[in-house]
Amino acid sequence: MTEELIRNYWNARARGYAIATVNDADPEDTRRWRGVLEDVLAPLEDKADVRILDVGCGPGLFSLLAAERLPNARVTALDGSPAMLEELKASAEARGLLERITLVEGDAGAIDEEGVYDLVMSRNVLWNLPDAEGALKGWWRALKTGGTLLTADGNHYRYLIDATHAAAVAAKPAPKSHDPKIFGNVDPAVMAERAKTLPLTHELRPDWDVRILEGVGASIASLSTSTTPAPDGSPVVTDFTLIAKKTA
């Protein structure tokens, strides 16, 4: 499956994804993410010339919240989908935040900057990348010493290869972004077929993320998980948020 087909998939999902996560998002969900980001944004509020990278920004929930919270920050919002960036541009203009956000069409798996950003953040991106380890290490290199990485992700397609996970997920309500009214005419089988070949479908997370980050010298500052019970009652991790500090 070509990258062009995947880009087309996310372009087709952009409008519905923006509705679900930004324009008509659950207020409680937005409050939760604002609280998560506060932990990494508050330490930057008195710092001059703050640089933030929102990698794989999608319609820009994190970019918008960061730009709103920190007038002293320059947010670079990078995504491979032009349609996602258009959604973010419209939202940023409507909120008077566009001058603080630089939109970049690019590959989240090919960040080649080094020591540039005070904060690198991502949400539901890494699972989608064919070289997830290389991407995560690239994000880490892009941080300044003393910088922070925030990644929010999950075991989104683990159900394809793990019967226990499949049973647990089947009992959990689907996220709003998967509502057929929002998903529209996009064929979910396109991404499911690709996910079978992606490396992180075959890894248990966040154990994998912790292992890779500790391997490059990261200090794990916090790690929270969301779980759902398997048929035997054991917890299955569906989503997680990890914050790591670059101390050297």
Side-chain angles (χ1 to χ4, degrees):
M1 185 166 299
T2 67
E3 291 307 307
E4 182 180 0
L5 284 175
I6 297 305
R7 186 179 297 108
N8 290 341
Y9 170 88
W10 285 115
N11 282 336
R13 284 204 60 189
R15 180 84 281 265
Y17 203 63
I19 291 170
T21 62
V22 177
N23 301 332
D24 190 29
D26 183 336
E28 183 58 36
D29 197 44
T30 301
R31 279 193 295 271
R32 180 172 67 87
W33 285 118
R34 184 175 280 115
V36 169
L37 289 178
E38 182 66 14
D39 289 342
V40 295
L41 296 176
L44 300 174
E45 62 183 345
D46 296 323
K47 183 179 174 66
D49 193 28
V50 172
R51 297 288 307 279
I52 297 173
L53 174 62
D54 183 4
V55 61
C57 62
L61 174 63
F62 278 11
S63 292
L64 294 165
L65 293 177
E68 175 188 81
R69 175 65 175 82
L70 292 181
N72 58 321
R74 289 182 291 157
V75 180
T76 298
L78 180 144
D79 202 277
S81 164
M84 289 287 189
L85 292 172
E86 285 299 315
E87 293 292 342
L88 171 51
K89 181 180 180 181
S91 296
E93 285 180 330
R95 301 176 190 209
L97 297 173
L98 189 57
E99 65 179 15
R100 301 183 198 166
I101 302 174
T102 300
L103 306 178
V104 177
E105 184 179 341
D107 184 353
I111 304 301
D112 59 3
E113 298 171 288
E114 187 167 346
V116 173
Y117 298 100
D118 300 281
L119 171 64
V120 174
M121 53 189 185
S122 76
R123 178 172 180 256
N124 293 336
V125 177
L126 204 56
W127 69 265
N128 188 55
L129 302 180
D131 181 12
E133 181 174 344
L136 185 56
K137 289 178 177 178
W139 302 355
W140 189 252
R141 285 192 301 271
L143 281 173
K144 299 175 183 177
T145 299
T148 302
L149 172 72
L150 183 154
T151 179
D153 215 311
N155 291 299
H156 300 306
Y157 283 88
R158 179 81 186 174
Y159 70 87
L160 293 171
I161 63 162
D162 184 327
T164 299
H165 193 91
V169 170
K172 183 182 178 183
K176 182 177 180 179
S177 60
H178 287 194
D179 186 318
K181 294 178 182 177
I182 291 174
F183 217 88
N185 295 322
V186 180
D187 182 2
V190 171
M191 188 55 73
E193 187 63 29
R194 184 192 189 221
K196 292 176 184 177
T197 67
L198 291 172
L200 291 189
T201 299
H202 302 268
E203 298 285 352
L204 283 173
R205 306 179 70 197
D207 296 0
W208 178 90
D209 304 73
V210 170
R211 184 172 71 253
I212 298 303
L213 287 170
E214 289 184 338
V216 295
S219 174
I220 306 301
S222 70
L223 176 60
S224 61
T225 60
S226 296
T227 64
T228 192
D232 64 1
S234 61
V236 169
V237 175
T238 54
D239 302 276
F240 65 89
T241 301
L242 184 155
I243 297 173
K245 297 289 293 184
K246 188 174 187 177
T247 57

